[in-house]
PDB file of all heavy atoms in Angstrom:
ATOM      1  N   VAL A 128     -31.554-147.783-145.213  1.00 94.00           N
ATOM      2  CA  VAL A 128     -32.909-147.574-145.582  1.00 94.00           C
ATOM      3  C   VAL A 128     -33.704-147.692-144.245  1.00 94.00           C
ATOM      4  O   VAL A 128     -33.652-148.733-143.542  1.00 94.00           O
ATOM      5  CB  VAL A 128     -33.401-148.747-146.558  1.00 94.00           C
ATOM      6  CG1 VAL A 128     -34.870-148.538-146.879  1.00 94.00           C
ATOM      7  CG2 VAL A 128     -32.500-148.660-147.786  1.00 94.00           C
ATOM      8  N   GLU A 129     -34.370-146.667-143.894  1.00 94.00           N
ATOM      9  CA  GLU A 129     -35.047-146.514-142.568  1.00 94.00           C
ATOM     10  C   GLU A 129     -36.580-146.460-142.793  1.00 94.00           C
ATOM     11  O   GLU A 129     -37.109-145.692-143.538  1.00 94.00           O
ATOM     12  CB  GLU A 129     -34.532-145.222-142.023  1.00 94.00           C
ATOM     13  CG  GLU A 129     -34.748-145.175-140.488  1.00 94.00           C
ATOM     14  CD  GLU A 129     -34.024-144.057-139.754  1.00 94.00           C
ATOM     15  OE1 GLU A 129     -32.729-144.138-139.658  1.00 94.00           O
ATOM     16  OE2 GLU A 129     -34.601-143.080-139.367  1.00 94.00           O
ATOM     17  N   PHE A 130     -37.273-147.230-141.964  1.00 94.00           N
ATOM     18  CA  PHE A 130     -38.695-147.404-141.893  1.00 94.00           C
ATOM     19  C   PHE A 130     -39.319-146.673-140.700  1.00 94.00           C
ATOM     20  O   PHE A 130     -38.748-146.907-139.628  1.00 94.00           O
ATOM     21  CB  PHE A 130     -39.142-148.815-142.065  1.00 94.00           C
ATOM     22  CG  PHE A 130     -38.729-149.471-143.344  1.00 94.00           C
ATOM     23  CD1 PHE A 130     -37.539-150.220-143.311  1.00 94.00           C
ATOM     24  CD2 PHE A 130     -39.631-149.529-144.491  1.00 94.00           C
ATOM     25  CE1 PHE A 130     -37.197-150.947-144.504  1.00 94.00           C
ATOM     26  CE2 PHE A 130     -39.174-150.153-145.587  1.00 94.00           C
ATOM     27  CZ  PHE A 130     -37.976-150.880-145.623  1.00 94.00           C
ATOM     28  N   HIS A 131     -40.274-145.854-140.988  1.00 94.00           N
ATOM     29  CA  HIS A 131     -40.922-145.100-139.841  1.00 94.00           C
ATOM     30  C   HIS A 131     -42.393-145.385-139.864  1.00 94.00           C
ATOM     31  O   HIS A 131     -43.064-145.535-140.835  1.00 94.00           O
ATOM     32  CB  HIS A 131     -40.699-143.542-140.051  1.00 94.00           C
ATOM     33  CG  HIS A 131     -39.337-143.123-139.619  1.00 94.00           C
ATOM     34  ND1 HIS A 131     -39.213-142.103-138.731  1.00 94.00           N
ATOM     35  CD2 HIS A 131     -38.060-143.500-139.973  1.00 94.00           C
ATOM     36  CE1 HIS A 131     -37.864-141.854-138.629  1.00 94.00           C
ATOM     37  NE2 HIS A 131     -37.270-142.656-139.406  1.00 94.00           N
ATOM     38  N   ALA A 132     -42.809-145.540-138.566  1.00 92.00           N
ATOM     39  CA  ALA A 132     -44.230-145.759-138.252  1.00 92.00           C
ATOM     40  C   ALA A 132     -44.803-144.415-137.790  1.00 92.00           C
ATOM     41  O   ALA A 132     -44.089-143.496-137.664  1.00 92.00           O
ATOM     42  CB  ALA A 132     -44.522-146.938-137.430  1.00 92.00           C
ATOM     43  N   GLN A 133     -46.145-144.545-137.264  1.00 90.00           N
ATOM     44  CA  GLN A 133     -46.753-143.378-136.793  1.00 90.00           C
ATOM     45  C   GLN A 133     -46.048-142.828-135.529  1.00 90.00           C
ATOM     46  O   GLN A 133     -46.025-141.591-135.211  1.00 90.00           O
ATOM     47  CB  GLN A 133     -48.199-143.646-136.573  1.00 90.00           C
ATOM     48  CG  GLN A 133     -48.994-142.456-136.241  1.00 90.00           C
ATOM     49  CD  GLN A 133     -50.502-142.739-136.162  1.00 90.00           C
ATOM     50  OE1 GLN A 133     -50.901-143.888-136.313  1.00 90.00           O
ATOM     51  NE2 GLN A 133     -51.349-141.743-135.953  1.00 90.00           N
ATOM     52  N   TYR A 134     -45.502-143.690-134.776  1.00 89.00           N
ATOM     53  CA  TYR A 134     -44.809-143.349-133.497  1.00 89.00           C
ATOM     54  C   TYR A 134     -43.333-142.956-133.667  1.00 89.00           C
ATOM     55  O   TYR A 134     -42.758-142.395-132.696  1.00 89.00           O
ATOM     56  CB  TYR A 134     -45.050-144.374-132.393  1.00 89.00           C
ATOM     57  CG  TYR A 134     -44.379-145.757-132.915  1.00 89.00           C
ATOM     58  CD1 TYR A 134     -43.053-146.034-132.761  1.00 89.00           C
ATOM     59  CD2 TYR A 134     -45.212-146.658-133.425  1.00 89.00           C
ATOM     60  CE1 TYR A 134     -42.556-147.250-133.131  1.00 89.00           C
ATOM     61  CE2 TYR A 134     -44.681-147.889-133.883  1.00 89.00           C
ATOM     62  CZ  TYR A 134     -43.417-148.125-133.727  1.00 89.00           C
ATOM     63  OH  TYR A 134     -42.818-149.372-134.134  1.00 89.00           O
ATOM     64  N   GLY A 135     -42.760-143.356-134.726  1.00 89.00           N
ATOM     65  CA  GLY A 135     -41.290-143.061-134.917  1.00 89.00           C
ATOM     66  C   GLY A 135     -40.617-144.132-135.729  1.00 89.00           C
ATOM     67  O   GLY A 135     -41.277-144.789-136.591  1.00 89.00           O
ATOM     68  N   ARG A 136     -39.292-144.202-135.565  1.00 91.00           N
ATOM     69  CA  ARG A 136     -38.570-145.176-136.307  1.00 91.00           C
ATOM     70  C   ARG A 136     -38.971-146.592-135.940  1.00 91.00           C
ATOM     71  O   ARG A 136     -38.934-147.010-134.727  1.00 91.00           O
ATOM     72  CB  ARG A 136     -37.021-145.023-136.106  1.00 91.00           C
ATOM     73  CG  ARG A 136     -36.196-145.791-137.081  1.00 91.00           C
ATOM     74  CD  ARG A 136     -34.718-145.286-136.994  1.00 91.00           C
ATOM     75  NE  ARG A 136     -34.090-145.757-135.831  1.00 91.00           N
ATOM     76  CZ  ARG A 136     -32.828-145.652-135.493  1.00 91.00           C
ATOM     77  NH1 ARG A 136     -32.027-144.861-136.240  1.00 91.00           N
ATOM     78  NH2 ARG A 136     -32.382-146.133-134.315  1.00 91.00           N
ATOM     79  N   TYR A 137     -39.133-147.429-136.966  1.00 92.00           N
ATOM     80  CA  TYR A 137     -39.546-148.820-136.762  1.00 92.00           C
ATOM     81  C   TYR A 137     -38.333-149.854-137.058  1.00 92.00           C
ATOM     82  O   TYR A 137     -38.178-150.682-136.216  1.00 92.00           O
ATOM     83  CB  TYR A 137     -40.739-149.139-137.700  1.00 92.00           C
ATOM     84  CG  TYR A 137     -41.203-150.542-137.686  1.00 92.00           C
ATOM     85  CD1 TYR A 137     -41.890-151.088-136.599  1.00 92.00           C
ATOM     86  CD2 TYR A 137     -40.887-151.455-138.751  1.00 92.00           C
ATOM     87  CE1 TYR A 137     -42.263-152.343-136.638  1.00 92.00           C
ATOM     88  CE2 TYR A 137     -41.217-152.734-138.688  1.00 92.00           C
ATOM     89  CZ  TYR A 137     -41.966-153.266-137.618  1.00 92.00           C
ATOM     90  OH  TYR A 137     -42.332-154.582-137.647  1.00 92.00           O
TER      91      TYR A 137
END
Side-chain angles (χ1 to χ4, degrees):
V128 179
E129 198 167 291
F130 297 89
H131 280 233
Q133 190 171 2
Y134 56 85
R136 188 172 74 180
Y137 174 75

